[in-house]
Amino acid sequence: MTEEDPILDALVIGAGPAGLTAATYLSRFKRRIAVVDAGNSRARWIPTSHNCPGFPSGVTGDALLDKLREQARAYGTEIVGDRVSGLERDGDAFHAVGEQGGRWAARYVLLATGIVDCVPKMARLEQAIENGAIRLCAVCDGYEACDERIAVYAPVDEAIRHALFLRTFSREVLAVRSEAGEPSAECARLAHDARVAVLPVPESIDYLAGEGCRMRFADGDERTFDTVYPVLGGNAQSGLAIGLGAEVDDNEELVVDEHLQTSVDGLYAIGDIVSALNQISVAVGHAAVAATAVHNRLPRNFREDKASQPEDA
Ligand SMILES: Cc1cc2nc3c(=O)[nH]c(=O)nc-3n(C[C@H](O)[C@H](O)[C@H](O)COP(=O)(O)OP(=O)(O)OC[C@H]3O[C@@H](n4cnc5c(N)ncnc54)[C@H](O)[C@@H]3O)c2cc1C
């Protein structure tokens, strides 16, 4: 921030695929922005994504994030490592404070803080994800689980619905309860018709290196699956927006208009934090729309006459 104008054009909170893409767009629109990131993108969990546009051989989450950071930085974006802990509105500007003591003021805020997955309690979860024994997103990688022995681990109706989605990819998909409960009549019928067996709550889930996951049940039954999809929900990182009065859905994900603006004027939300499909291509699409909307709302930043331009502008 300069002394002459301490208020940034925009503050981007979160530097996953959504925030980094928005930063690239806004920097290319020659806007003064800051990006603040707590460094915990969901994308870093992706062993290899095969549905990310432009990567026919797949791309790891870390490699994608590296590329997106490199692209944003190439246009002058600075990414500050901090967690924004407070966000307030005062007149025409938003004021943010970070846990490390950072302070930012901006006309517009793009919230790209994502969600944090709820995961089952089990040892070596990270290795299990790395090896595809635990998968967290059927839309992302159901294709990679083709013809595998698949379990969906979730509250029973949720487990059945996800199992139906996964039946596109495998004949052997089971629904495993994450908590006690009986399926609704409709879900029980759907499971029966799709030949999806419904199992009780397992006593343990263990990652077997290179061989999937084993579930042990109270009656002594043991099952081994090539892959387990836990569907336990996620914690939307929407607290900053809720604090400003923004509307959220039942999952506390933000409700937005067609330009990705929340119900709070000037506060935009992009990526997984929005009530929409959680995908990289959706996140970058959100970012493009929101960043362009913000640029068009800001005062015009016409190119100066040549004589008054600094040489490197
Ligand atoms: C195992 C796995 C596999 C996946 N595979 C695929 C796939 O193949 N294809 C696909 O399209 N999608 C996939 N996804 C989903 C994809 O990762 C997400 O859709 C994507 O990362 C969303 O991007 P985002 O920028 O909205 O959020 P994120 O990538 O989660 O980034 C949010 C960022 O905001 C930061 N943040 C949060 N709160 C604050 C705060 N208060 N202050 C500052 N920073 C904050 C976080 O630390 C994080 O860095 C997968 C997800 C997982 C978990």
Side-chain angles (χ1 to χ4, degrees):
M1 281 181 272
T2 61
E3 267 181 27
E4 306 83 67
D5 184 4
I7 300 180
L8 295 163
D9 290 326
L11 174 66
V12 179
I13 305 178
L20 290 168
T21 303
T24 294
Y25 272 67
L26 286 163
S27 297
R28 285 172 52 83
F29 292 146
K30 299 180 176 291
R31 294 302 184 176
R32 287 179 57 243
I33 66 165
V35 180
V36 187
D37 184 47
N40 209 19
S41 167
R42 268 188 102 204
R44 85 203 187 291
W45 287 94
I46 305 175
T48 305
S49 171
H50 293 278
N51 71 352
C52 188
F55 294 93
S57 309
V59 60
T60 68
D62 282 336
L64 179 68
L65 288 169
D66 280 347
K67 287 281 177 207
L68 291 169
R69 278 190 287 264
E70 184 187 331
Q71 193 172 7
R73 283 179 175 137
Y75 297 101
T77 300
E78 191 195 346
I79 303 163
V80 179
D82 200 349
R83 173 175 292 277
V84 174
S85 53
L87 182 63
E88 286 177 1
R89 180 80 181 263
D90 182 13
D92 281 349
F94 292 91
H95 297 265
V97 291
E99 284 177 356
Q100 312 289 326
R103 288 182 176 275
W104 301 268
R107 302 261 174 247
Y108 295 94
V109 169
L110 290 90
L111 201 67
T113 45
I115 64 167
V116 175
D117 293 281
C118 298
V119 289
K121 285 194 179 70
M122 61 183 282
R124 299 190 295 158
L125 177 73
E126 271 192 47
Q127 289 101 309
I129 294 174
E130 178 66 36
N131 290 293
I134 293 281
R135 297 181 186 272
L136 296 175
C137 171
V139 173
C140 305
D141 53 21
Y143 186 92
E144 276 64 50
C146 246
D147 290 331
E148 292 193 339
R149 295 164 297 168
I150 300 174
V152 180
Y153 177 71
V156 66
D157 280 355
E158 195 72 12
I160 291 170
R161 285 195 207 98
H162 271 76
L164 297 177
F165 181 87
L166 282 158
R167 280 285 280 109
T168 296
F169 308 102
S170 174
R171 292 167 198 85
E172 199 177 337
V173 187
L174 282 77
V176 181
R177 291 171 171 85
S178 61
E179 57 192 54
E182 291 309 314
S184 65
E186 192 202 351
C187 283
R189 182 182 56 75
L190 291 170
H192 175 267
D193 291 352
R195 287 177 283 119
V196 168
V198 181
L199 300 188
V201 181
E203 287 190 324
S204 61
I205 306 175
D206 295 303
Y207 169 55
L208 310 172
E211 291 171 51
C213 286
R214 180 182 57 213
M215 292 190 185
R216 287 206 165 102
F217 297 87
D219 63 1
D221 190 15
E222 270 189 24
R223 305 276 180 125
T224 301
F225 299 97
D226 298 309
T227 194
V228 175
Y229 280 90
V231 185
L232 303 175
N235 294 314
Q237 303 298 295
S238 51
L240 296 170
I242 292 173
L244 288 169
E247 187 187 342
V248 289
D249 68 10
D250 291 344
N251 299 320
E252 299 206 330
E253 293 178 352
L254 287 156
V255 175
V256 292
D257 67 14
E258 71 271 28
H259 299 296
L260 284 306
Q261 185 173 229
T262 69
S263 58
V264 175
D265 187 30
L267 177 66
Y268 289 72
I270 54 178
D272 283 2
I273 191 61
V274 172
S275 180
L277 186 67
N278 293 340
Q279 288 286 284
I280 293 163
S281 44
V282 175
V284 302
H286 283 171
V289 173
T292 305
V294 165
H295 171 62
N296 284 333
R297 283 184 70 181
L298 281 160
R300 301 272 180 210
N301 54 347
F302 289 153
R303 199 89 170 116
E304 299 286 337
D305 288 340
K306 255 197 168 160
S308 57
Q309 268 176 30
E311 269 180 21
D312 59 351

